[in-house]
């Protein structure tokens, strides 16, 4: 049962039982990810593009801070 759930959500069993590297995600983050998974592909692509832009911006800023 747990393995089926992990496959359905695209996560590992470790994540589901709270022992994986992403187990520290708070409930709000996990809820958001689960809701995104339910969306149509077009909407997911738009959201992921926005998220990717913010991540890239964050990483760029971090690189300048370190350099």
């Amino acid at each position: 049962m747990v393995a089926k759930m992990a496959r359905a959500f695209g996560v590992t069993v470790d994540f589901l039982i709270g022992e994986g590297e992403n187990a520290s995600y708070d409930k709000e983050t996990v809820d958001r990810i689960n809701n995104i998974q339910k969306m149509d592909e077009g909407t997911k692509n738009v959201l992921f593009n926005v998220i990717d832009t913010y991540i890239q911006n964050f990483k760029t800023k971090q690189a300048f801070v370190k350099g």
Side-chain angles (χ1 to χ4, degrees):
M1 178 70 169
V2 175
K4 274 188 173 182
M5 288 175 58
R7 278 194 300 278
F9 290 115
V11 298
T12 65
V13 172
D14 286 346
F15 173 81
L16 287 177
I17 61 174
E19 294 182 5
E21 71 178 62
N22 298 326
S24 64
Y25 288 166
D26 58 70
K27 184 180 180 336
E28 185 178 344
T29 300
V30 173
D31 287 344
R32 285 180 171 161
I33 292 169
N34 288 334
N35 285 325
I36 291 170
Q37 286 295 325
K38 297 173 188 174
M39 296 177 181
D40 64 272
E41 289 301 313
T43 302
K44 285 196 285 190
N45 286 334
V46 169
L47 280 172
F48 289 140
N49 284 335
V50 171
I51 292 168
D52 289 344
T53 299
Y54 276 94
I55 291 170
Q56 182 178 8
N57 186 33
F58 171 78
K59 287 181 177 181
T60 300
K61 286 180 181 179
Q62 293 299 307
F64 282 114
V65 169
K66 291 179 182 176

